[in-house]
Amino acid sequence: MRTRKSSVTARLLTALATLLGLLVLGATPSGAAEPQEVQPQAVGLHISNGRLLEANGNDFVMRGVNHAHTWYPGETQSLADIKALGANSVRVVLSNGHRWTRNTPEDVAAVIASCKANRLICVLEVHDTTGYGEEAAAATLDSAADYWIGLKDVLAGQEDYVIVNIGNEPWGNTNPAGWTDPTIASVKKLRAAGLDHTIMVDAPNWGQDWQNVMRTNAQAVYAADPTGNLIFSIHMYSVYDTPAEITDYLNAFVAAKLPILIGEFGGPADQWGDPDEDTMMAAAQRLDLGYLAWSWSGNTDPILDLAIGFDPNRLSSWGQRIFHGANGIAQTSEEATIFGGGGTDTQAPTAPGTPTASAVTSTSATLNWPAASDNVGVTAYEIVRVTGTTETALAASTTTSAALTGLSPNTAYTLAVYAKDAAGNRSARSATTTLTTTSPPAGTCAVAYRVVNEWPGGFQADLTVRNTGTAPVNGWTLGFSFPAGQTVTNMWGGVPTQTAAAVRVAPASYTTTIPASGSVTIGFTGTRGTTNPSPTAFTLNGANCTTS
C-alpha cells in the first residue's frame, strides 16, 4: 500500500467492485453540456474556460510529484532535488493534527518559501481526511477547511504560487455519495472566509471515483464556488488499468469544460492490479492536463518510491519512467511564468566543461565538471551515459559534482553533462569522459537465479541470496546486469532500480537482514525479447558472489 494511503480493505473492495462490473465509466458529469457561468476572480492561479491559468493568462500544466513532508519534515532538500529533475510543481502532504502531527503555520510558511525558492508551484493538501466514512481515524472535510482558514495569514498573497487541496481522498468506498455535500460545504466555507486561491478537490472511493460520484456531481460542486476557481483531482491506481477507462474519464471532464488533473497516480503493478501509467501520461499530454506522480520517497511500500532513500541519484524504475520516460517530466514540463519561465527566457546555457572522474570503485564514482554559464542562471545539471548515438540519464545535480551509484563492475562508462536553466532551456552536451569501474572484492555470498516461467515478451524469475559468512548481513544491495535487454516490471522481496542493463536491488522491509548461513528470496516479473539468458555475475554490497 502507498505511504499511509488506502487500506487493504479499501483496495479489496475496489477490486471486488471491478470484478462485479460496478464501474460506470460511461456516465458523464451532470450538466456536461456547459459549466455554469461564473466570473472568475483572476487573483494569481485561476480557472478560465476549464483551464488552469496563471494571473497573466498563461496556461499552466502541472508536471510534478507528491512529497510526504508531514512524515519526513527533515527532508528539506527534497524540493530542490525534485526541481533539479525538471518538475514545475509539487504536491506537499500536510496534517491538520487530527491523525498525524499538525503542521504549524511557521512550518507551512517555510514549505511555501521553499517551493518559491525552487521555482515550484505548490499544491498543499491535508492528508488526515483520507478514506473518511471507511477509515475510522480519518478527519472530516470540514475540519480540513478550518485548518486552511487558520492558515489564512500564511496563505494570503501566495495566490500566484499556491493551490489549496482541501483534503486528500476524503471519502472511502462506504456510501461515497456522501462526498458531495461536505465537499460543496467546504468550498463555500473557504470562500466565505476570504480565501482566493484556486481550490483543488479530490474524488471519493479513496480518490479513484470508480463509482463516478465526482464525475456525476462535478458540475454541482464547481457551481458552488462563486469564483469559479476550482479544479478536480482524480487519483489513478489499479482501477485504471485499461486505456478506455483512463481516456473516457478524462475526456468527459474536458468535453464539459470542467478542469481536472491526475493528482496522484502509480505505475508499478501490485496485488490489486497493474495501472496503465503509459496511457495516463500520454492522455495528460494530449489533453494538456496536469499530473503529479506518487511519490518522491519514503513509502511504506517502497515499490512506489520515485527516489530510493530520498536520493535523486538513485531513481527507481518508477522514478526513471516519470522523470525520463515518454511524456515524462523532463520531456514535457514547463516552468510557471511567475518564475520567469514559459518562453520569456529562450537562451540556453553554455555547455559545461569536460567532466573528470574520481573515487572510482566497482559500483560508484564521483564526477566533477567546470560550471556552465547562462544569461539568467543555471539551475541544474543532467549526467548521461553515452553509448553510440544513445544517451541514458544517470543522475541530476544542482552543483558541479555528482555521486554516481549503482554502476556495474568491470564496465566502461562514457559520460557527459548537460546544463539547464530555470526556463527549461538545455545546453549543448559537454565533451565526454570515460571511466572503467573496478573489479569487486570476493564476498561471503552465493546467488541462485531461476526462471520460473516464460511467455511471449515476458517471464517470471526468482533470486535466492545466501549469506555464506559467519555474521548477519544487515542492509544490502544486490547488483547484476541482464545480458539480453530484459527489464524488471514488478518485484517482491526487494526494491529494484534499473539503468539500461544494470539492476540494483535494495531489500524490502522484511528482507533487510540475511542471517549467517541463511538466505532471502526475491521474486520478479520482467520483459524479454526473443531470448532470455540468465545473468552470470552478482555482487552483494559491492563484493562478488558465487553463483549456483
Side-chain angles (χ1 to χ4, degrees), residues 448-455 458-463 482 486 524 528 532-535:
Y449 180 97
R450 179 175 69 103
V451 174
V452 177
N453 193 16
E454 288 184 312
W455 54 90
F459 69 104
Q460 179 181 340
D462 60 37
L463 289 150
F482 283 120
Q486 301 100 318
F524 69 92
R528 67 179 182 91
N532 188 26
S534 298

Side-chain angles (χ1 to χ4, degrees), residues 54-434:
E54 295 185 72
N56 62 3
N58 181 70
D59 199 64
F60 183 67
V61 180
M62 280 187 253
R63 289 287 184 267
V65 305
N66 288 262
H67 170 52
H69 169 74
T70 200
W71 304 310
Y72 301 99
E75 296 295 341
T76 55
Q77 178 64 26
S78 291
L79 297 189
D81 293 336
I82 290 166
K83 176 63 179 183
L85 287 163
N88 65 13
S89 47
V90 62
R91 181 171 178 258
V92 180
V93 176
L94 301 177
S95 172
N96 69 350
H98 180 87
R99 191 171 178 186
W100 296 288
T101 302
R102 178 177 178 269
N103 293 97
T104 65
E106 295 76 14
D107 183 43
V108 176
V111 168
I112 294 171
S114 182
C115 283
K116 292 167 69 175
N118 289 292
R119 307 165 78 95
L120 291 164
I121 295 299
C122 210
V123 179
L124 303 177
E125 59 103 343
V126 167
H127 214 78
D128 306 66
T129 57
T130 305
Y132 182 80
E134 184 175 349
E135 170 55 64
T140 64
L141 272 173
D142 187 64
S143 73
D146 287 339
Y147 177 71
W148 297 120
I149 293 169
L151 290 172
K152 184 178 176 181
D153 290 345
V154 171
L155 297 171
Q158 305 301 329
E159 293 85 357
D160 281 310
Y161 307 98
V162 172
I163 292 173
V164 175
N165 189 178
I166 306 176
N168 181 71
E169 300 179 1
W171 212 277
N173 291 324
T174 302
N175 186 30
W179 165 92
T180 305
D181 288 344
T183 300
I184 289 174
S186 297
V187 171
K188 290 181 174 180
K189 189 172 189 176
L190 292 178
R191 294 307 187 208
L195 268 73
D196 294 325
H197 304 72
T198 292
I199 290 175
M200 184 181 294
V201 295
D202 282 8
N205 294 129
W206 299 88
Q208 298 198 77
D209 201 30
W210 55 266
Q211 289 175 298
N212 287 294
V213 171
M214 185 172 82
R215 179 170 167 171
T216 301
N217 294 281
Q219 178 58 68
V221 174
Y222 184 81
D225 184 355
T227 73
N229 296 326
L230 181 146
I231 187 169
F232 296 94
S233 174
I234 182 67
H235 293 184
M236 290 186 164
Y237 291 97
S238 53
V239 165
Y240 295 93
D241 57 0
T242 68
E245 292 166 336
I246 296 161
T247 57
D248 180 62
Y249 195 94
L250 298 176
N251 284 338
F253 279 78
V254 172
K257 295 186 178 179
L258 289 165
I260 191 168
L261 84 159
I262 306 173
E264 284 187 23
F265 68 106
D270 57 27
Q271 61 265 49
W272 297 286
D274 187 1
D276 185 359
E277 71 276 15
D278 291 341
T279 297
M280 296 176 202
M281 296 168 72
Q285 181 66 13
R286 175 177 56 84
L287 296 169
D288 283 333
L289 301 179
Y291 67 64
L292 300 166
W294 187 274
S295 77
W296 177 240
S297 198
N299 284 278
T300 50
D301 183 352
I303 196 171
L304 283 169
D305 282 359
L306 296 161
I308 297 172
F310 293 92
D311 184 350
N313 296 317
R314 299 175 63 210
L315 293 183
S316 65
S317 299
W318 174 224
Q320 290 284 354
R321 174 69 189 91
I322 288 298
F323 288 105
H324 301 303
N327 300 305
I329 286 173
Q331 183 185 100
T332 65
S333 175
E334 294 183 10
E335 187 176 79
T337 59
I338 192 67
F339 300 121
T344 57
D345 174 16
T346 59
Q347 181 175 326
T350 63
T354 305
T356 57
S358 61
V360 179
T361 71
S362 60
T363 59
S364 64
T366 298
L367 205 66
N368 293 277
W369 56 89
S373 61
D374 185 65
N375 63 318
V376 176
V378 174
T379 57
Y381 293 92
E382 181 182 6
I383 299 89
V384 297
R385 182 183 185 184
V386 181
T387 307
T389 59
T390 302
E391 294 181 356
T392 304
L394 288 185
S397 176
T398 56
T399 69
T400 56
S401 177
L404 306 181
T405 59
L407 306 180
S408 297
N410 297 316
T411 302
Y413 287 83
T414 299
L415 305 172
V417 182
Y418 288 96
K420 293 181 72 174
D421 64 18
N425 299 309
R426 194 187 200 208
S427 72
R429 195 174 77 190
S430 73
T432 60
T433 190
T434 299

Side-chain angles (χ1 to χ4, degrees), residues 36-43 46-48 222-223 225-229:
Q36 177 178 325
E37 288 297 324
V38 291
Q39 296 300 319
Q41 299 172 358
V43 179
H46 63 282
I47 302 297
S48 179
Y222 184 81
D225 184 355
T227 73
N229 296 326

